[in-house]
Amino acid sequence: VGQVAQGPVPPSLFAHDPAFKPFTRDLAKARAALAKGGQPNGFKMLLKTPNESVASKVSQLVQAQLKEVGIDVEIQTLEFGALLKAGEQGQFDAMTLGWSGRIDPDGNIQPIFHTKGTFNYGKYKGADTLIDQARSTLDKEKRKALYRQIEKKVAQEDVAYVFTYFAPTIFPASKRVQGFPLNPDGLMRFKRTSLT
């Protein structure tokens, strides 16, 4: 389940652009880009991924698709804390990571794509000015336009990340469960949760 992601702004947020589709599958173009980059026969790389079933399947899909253009991907599965540490220390070729999402586009963008962002593991530097502008206005339409520019910059022009999917937030529960909050970020917090 889920929706194909084209960038960091999910359909649930006001800044989402349903017309934005930066890429289509094009193996010839991928091979040409490899040749232009000096790797006409591909290369080997290590993809670090958390020990979680969906992330594992996504990593295997990436591995299979990259093999088609000569990129040999070795998958290394890590405990989530170890994966985050590798990200913080820059010890990776590539990583499979998820983000729980926030109720405002800034929460999906600033921590990951601003040079001062806590989770900017790739050390991306291309969108600071746009992010700062979007954070400094309360005008919703201006913010929407800026976040759409940011999305185009990080997902299409610079390809800072490859976005795969937006997962739905699903919480099955018995009627016996009490005090379970449905948080907008989709994270489960059980501080006040109990069973009757």
Side-chain angles (χ1 to χ4, degrees):
V1 295
Q3 294 175 287
V4 174
Q6 305 291 351
V9 182
S12 59
L13 298 184
F14 72 88
H16 176 72
D17 183 356
F20 180 63
K21 292 184 176 32
F23 300 107
T24 56
R25 183 175 167 83
D26 189 332
L27 297 180
K29 189 174 179 181
R31 289 185 186 103
L34 283 167
K36 184 178 178 182
Q39 300 286 345
N41 299 316
F43 56 90
K44 291 184 178 184
M45 64 176 278
L46 181 64
L47 174 61
K48 295 186 178 184
T49 189
N51 58 351
E52 186 269 322
S53 65
V54 175
S56 177
K57 289 175 184 174
V58 169
S59 295
Q60 291 169 18
L61 177 63
V62 168
Q63 180 185 48
Q65 290 184 340
L66 291 178
K67 186 173 185 167
E68 292 182 70
V69 293
I71 299 173
D72 182 15
V73 177
E74 177 187 346
I75 298 171
Q76 181 183 24
T77 303
L78 298 172
E79 182 274 325
F80 191 65
L83 183 68
L84 293 180
K85 186 174 182 178
E88 290 167 2
Q89 296 176 347
Q91 297 176 343
F92 61 93
D93 295 331
M95 297 174 72
T96 303
L97 278 175
W99 185 249
S100 62
R102 301 297 183 265
I103 60 172
D104 186 89
D106 181 71
N108 290 352
I109 291 173
Q110 191 280 339
I112 302 167
F113 301 108
H114 197 282
T115 54
K116 295 180 181 176
T118 306
F119 303 105
N120 186 357
Y121 297 149
K123 308 297 183 217
Y124 178 69
K125 300 178 181 179
D128 283 4
T129 301
L130 290 169
I131 293 170
D132 291 341
Q133 288 173 356
R135 297 185 106 202
S136 65
T137 181
L138 296 175
D139 185 305
K140 190 174 180 179
E141 290 306 309
K142 286 181 184 174
R143 294 184 75 224
K144 180 192 287 187
L146 287 163
Y147 286 122
R148 288 181 174 183
Q149 287 179 53
I150 294 165
E151 186 165 55
K152 184 177 179 184
K153 181 101 173 107
V154 301
Q156 184 177 43
E157 295 171 9
D158 297 340
V159 195
Y161 277 59
V162 175
F163 302 90
T164 53
Y165 70 99
F166 295 113
T169 301
I170 301 170
F171 296 117
S174 158
K175 290 181 181 181
R176 295 179 53 220
V177 175
Q178 301 295 313
F180 177 71
L182 297 175
N183 296 300
D185 64 8
L187 295 177
M188 292 184 272
R189 295 175 178 90
F190 300 104
K191 188 173 183 179
R192 295 180 180 89
T193 305
S194 63
L195 291 174
T196 58

